[in-house]
Amino acid sequence: MSLNPVLTAVTDRVIERSARSRRHYLDLIAREKDAGISRPHLACGNLAHAFAAAGEDKAGIRAQRAMNIGIITSYNDMLSAHQPYGRYPDQIKLFAREVGATAQVAGATPAMCDGVTQGQPGMELSLFSRDVIAMSTAVGLSHGMYEGVAMLGICDKIVPGLLMGALRFGHLPTILIPSGPMPSGISNSEKQRVRQLYAEGKVDRERLMDAEAASYHAPGTCTFYGTANTNQMLMEVMGLHLPGSSFVPPNTKLRQELTRAAIHRLTQIGPNGNDYRPLGHCVDERAIVNAAVGLLATGGSTNLAIHIPAMARAAGIIIDWEDLDRLSAVVPQLTRVYPNGSTDVNGFHQVGGMSSLIGSLLDAGLLHPDILTVTEGGFTRYRTAPHMRDDRLVWEEAGPSRDDTVLRAPANPFRKDGGMRLMQGNLGRGIYKTSAVAPERWTIEAPARIFEDQQDVIDAFKAGELDRDVIVVVRFQGPAANGMPELHRLTPTLSVLQDRGHKVALMTDGRMSGASGKVPAAIHIGPEAHAGGPLSRLRDGDMVRVCARSGRIDVLMDAAQWEQRTPATGPRGGFGTGRELFALMRDGVDSPERGASAILAAMDHMAEAEGLS
């Protein structure tokens, strides 16, 4: 099957735009491979420090005859998704020894959970934790002790941060190893029903607590298709996981054997073998476009509209929201996974999952088949699924979906487009996820009600002030203002208003991820209000139109009158919960469309000063 011409055109656009920065990136990792820090370049004292506690692996590390694998782990046992990683380092060391290699924990990274910090001050650290994770990864790998990297991470900012950090050591082969989703709990529709009842005051906190605890109840990733599981999909369509490994449950024989196979494979793609596959060459422009296609085909989290540009920039690649918008016009939506449907990721996996999805997208010419993956056999291997047969790990052709209410082929999609629109107008530039919103709600025209904190929205709702057609504007929520926290606490409230028959939409320079639900939302709007962006000039009662059909976000007023408006000034991230430690991040961050990263912005300034960009 020939490639879709729009896929080809967008890829060519990305390649052309990235030509200079990508060339400098590839030059960097080539220099690092040949002359950068590595075990052969370390002095005896350096090496002795590094293997002093290595036990039975000490002799192997000292002799430097085989790969030493650096493990970067995001383990903690407070977060269900990362709790299974506690046993992985010991297992990985055993698996490495089976093939004559060694492994050491190179470093650990923080792992924040947006679910735990939702609506709390700590959420203002969440997006910037991605930069911290990238830097933590770089610290671990800076010792130069490793010829390959095993990365253990799952959730929202963790996978993008791990990849951003590891790409600066892109001469090293790298495999990401997932831990898998928890078993399914109560249905997502029931969880959402109880949340709305609580928002309306019809059930008490104990009933809400029971529902939440029945949903999030065991080790493993949350099972709705939010940012964490979108990350896992992304790593597979980029060829950075072993085929079919994204959604295999934790604490199973299959999960363990996939980890063993990943470590064995990592030892085969090192710089001293005949199948060298450095991370920086695996993550090229085609892999980044594949990531965007996967996001659109699955109706994944809009947080990836920020993370994909950031991960790409770490590899010298520039992709923007116009690229996503163009791809969305031709990439059909092929899945219905909550919040876009009633089934969770376990149900998606059981009916064919990633292997069936990738196979159908390849057949339709909607994925680049020639990307360099971490597995032998190329990207076509990713249409196979892993199974245990006679106590052995094997991969078998997945075939088509076994349930077209959950997963379909491109010839029979749920939607003909990918459900993500670039929104532009006199109110700025943002993103709108149409895939979870009923088409009759794609255009909302109503008076604006302006807020600068999501709690104020909830208070106004409880006071009956929003029981009407309204476009709720929550501003001063961008990365430079307060770190761009998620605004999920608004979803039940706005859903209640919508269910009462009102025309309701949300506009914000903040974030709403893949769990944002059924309410129309124009999000990530920039320039943000803190920088004097258009949202800062809105006033209560201004007539605003949000139209996903035309891709427009506009205030309906005379242009001259609009331009004369004085921008409002709002609050910024304050003290407490460690937020003051992230002031330098807020001061240095760039726009969400470029990845909302302070460290990448600073890196680009350095490159520009040295004539490298």
Side-chain angles (χ1 to χ4, degrees):
M1 176 68 69
S2 59
L3 286 179
N4 181 285
V6 173
L7 183 80
T8 300
V10 168
T11 305
D12 289 344
R13 185 173 184 258
V14 172
I15 290 172
E16 181 178 1
R17 189 192 303 120
S18 309
R20 183 177 173 84
S21 55
R22 178 65 175 171
R23 182 173 66 253
H24 287 300
Y25 172 76
L26 294 176
D27 289 345
L28 168 71
I29 64 173
R31 290 194 304 272
E32 290 292 291
K33 176 181 181 294
D34 293 338
I37 189 68
S38 63
R39 276 197 292 169
H41 295 151
L42 293 176
C44 292
N46 301 139
L47 277 170
H49 275 288
F51 61 63
E56 63 184 282
D57 289 327
K58 183 183 294 188
I61 296 171
R62 174 176 175 167
Q64 303 185 49
R65 286 192 294 267
M67 176 183 284
N68 189 35
I69 296 168
I71 304 166
I72 302 290
T73 177
S74 60
Y75 165 73
N76 66 59
D77 64 5
M78 182 271 291
L79 299 184
S80 62
H82 295 84
Q83 186 268 357
Y85 283 138
R87 296 192 298 270
Y88 275 45
D90 287 342
Q91 293 176 350
I92 287 171
K93 291 176 183 181
L94 291 172
F95 301 153
R97 290 171 195 149
E98 291 172 348
V99 288
T102 55
Q104 294 176 290
V105 175
T109 75
M112 281 191 72
C113 177
D114 288 4
V116 176
T117 58
Q118 191 59 243
Q120 307 300 321
M123 178 58 84
E124 295 184 14
L125 280 59
S126 175
L127 180 59
F128 292 139
S129 76
R130 186 191 61 186
D131 282 7
V132 175
I133 292 162
M135 291 188 289
S136 300
T137 301
V139 169
L141 298 180
S142 68
H143 295 95
M145 285 292 298
Y146 312 107
E147 293 78 42
V149 185
M151 295 204 292
L152 311 181
I154 288 283
C155 289
D156 295 12
K157 317 306 168 301
I158 291 90
V159 167
L162 288 172
L163 199 55
M164 288 163 60
L167 279 165
R168 306 315 298 175
F169 298 79
H171 60 290
L172 297 176
T174 301
I175 295 181
L176 286 98
I177 302 176
S179 68
M182 69 176 66
S184 301
I186 66 168
S187 70
N188 288 297
S189 59
E190 174 63 12
K191 176 183 67 178
Q192 193 66 27
R193 185 185 72 85
V194 175
R195 284 179 176 177
Q196 287 195 206
L197 289 173
Y198 180 76
E200 295 177 273
K202 294 180 178 179
V203 300
D204 62 13
R205 191 175 187 276
E206 191 66 19
R207 177 70 182 90
L208 177 64
M209 189 73 254
D210 288 343
E212 298 290 356
S215 179
Y216 310 114
H217 63 97
T221 317
C222 305
T223 61
F224 66 85
Y225 194 52
T227 309
N229 288 316
T230 304
N231 282 338
Q232 302 314 298
M233 173 279 302
L234 215 72
M235 294 302 99
E236 196 150 336
V237 298
M238 292 174 70
L240 301 178
H241 278 175
L242 291 190
S245 63
S246 293
F247 301 122
V248 174
N251 302 319
T252 62
K253 179 67 172 177
L254 179 56
R255 176 84 276 158
Q256 178 177 295
E257 290 307 305
L258 283 166
T259 302
R260 170 182 271 120
I263 298 304
H264 289 186
R265 178 59 183 162
L266 189 54
T267 65
Q268 298 167 0
I269 58 175
N272 297 323
N274 57 7
D275 195 15
Y276 178 43
R277 301 191 181 205
L279 177 64
H281 286 265
C282 291
V283 181
D284 66 2
E285 297 90 342
R286 296 165 300 167
I288 291 295
V289 170
N290 277 7
V293 169
L295 172 66
L296 297 165
T298 59
S301 168
T302 50
N303 275 332
L304 273 298
I306 301 173
H307 297 323
I308 289 175
M311 291 184 286
R313 277 175 72 195
I317 299 165
I318 304 169
I319 187 169
D320 63 20
W321 290 346
E322 184 176 341
D323 296 319
L324 295 182
D325 187 79
R326 291 186 183 190
L327 289 169
S328 185
V330 298
V331 175
Q333 185 185 337
L334 303 181
T335 70
R336 286 280 193 217
V337 184
Y338 185 83
N340 301 333
S342 59
T343 303
D344 65 11
V345 295
N346 290 318
F348 166 70
H349 183 68
Q350 289 161 10
V351 303
M354 290 303 304
S355 307
S356 293
L357 175 74
I358 288 173
S360 67
L361 287 168
L362 284 169
D363 291 341
L366 289 169
L367 285 174
H368 288 285
D370 53 348
I371 63 172
L372 182 66
T373 72
V374 298
T375 193
E376 61 182 334
F379 194 47
T380 56
R381 279 287 308 279
Y382 286 78
R383 62 193 307 154
T384 65
H387 301 277
M388 295 303 299
R389 300 284 187 243
D390 299 323
D391 209 34
R392 291 179 57 251
L393 174 64
V394 298
W395 275 267
E396 299 171 354
E397 186 79 19
S401 167
R402 294 184 286 278
D403 186 344
D404 67 4
T405 68
V406 178
L407 172 62
R408 294 184 178 180
N412 179 37
F414 292 104
R415 291 167 48 97
K416 293 183 179 179
D417 69 278
M420 190 172 290
R421 291 300 310 271
L422 169 64
M423 305 292 284
Q424 302 180 86
N426 61 17
L427 288 175
R429 183 177 171 102
I431 287 289
Y432 185 121
K433 183 179 176 181
T434 62
S435 55
V437 178
E440 61 268 21
R441 297 193 180 103
W442 286 3
T443 301
I444 301 292
E445 185 176 315
R449 178 69 191 274
I450 314 300
F451 299 92
E452 295 174 359
D453 184 88
Q454 60 181 325
Q455 183 59 49
D456 293 340
V457 180
I458 295 170
D459 292 343
F461 166 78
K462 291 179 177 178
E465 299 171 11
L466 300 179
D467 208 355
R468 56 184 171 83
D469 292 354
V470 63
I471 292 182
V472 173
V473 178
V474 188
R475 64 190 182 187
F476 297 102
Q477 302 297 309
N482 64 354
M484 208 178 190
E486 292 266 20
L487 302 176
H488 279 317
R489 288 184 65 203
L490 300 180
T491 300
T493 298
L494 299 180
S495 296
V496 169
L497 293 174
Q498 184 172 274
D499 290 349
R500 290 175 181 172
H502 299 307
K503 296 178 180 178
V504 182
L506 172 70
M507 295 186 64
T508 182
D509 49 9
R511 287 190 296 128
M512 291 280 279
S513 79
S516 51
K518 62 187 180 182
V519 177
I523 60 177
H524 307 172
I525 295 173
E528 64 176 279
H530 174 74
L535 292 186
S536 67
R537 291 190 294 218
L538 276 176
R539 303 291 183 266
D540 284 339
D542 286 345
M543 288 300 296
V544 171
R545 180 186 294 131
V546 178
C547 180
R549 297 189 186 280
S550 62
R552 298 289 303 181
I553 45 174
D554 294 291
V555 59
L556 306 180
M557 84 166 37
D558 176 73
Q561 180 185 358
W562 174 245
E563 291 299 325
Q564 291 173 1
R565 283 270 182 93
T566 301
T569 57
R572 293 199 66 190
F575 282 76
T577 323
R579 289 174 290 172
E580 60 276 13
L581 299 177
F582 287 75
L584 78 166
M585 298 286 197
R586 296 192 294 269
D587 290 342
V589 71
D590 54 15
S591 71
E593 189 168 6
R594 288 181 56 77
S597 170
I599 60 172
L600 292 180
M603 184 182 75
D604 286 351
H605 291 324
M606 287 180 59
E608 184 177 354
E610 296 184 18
L612 301 179
S613 64

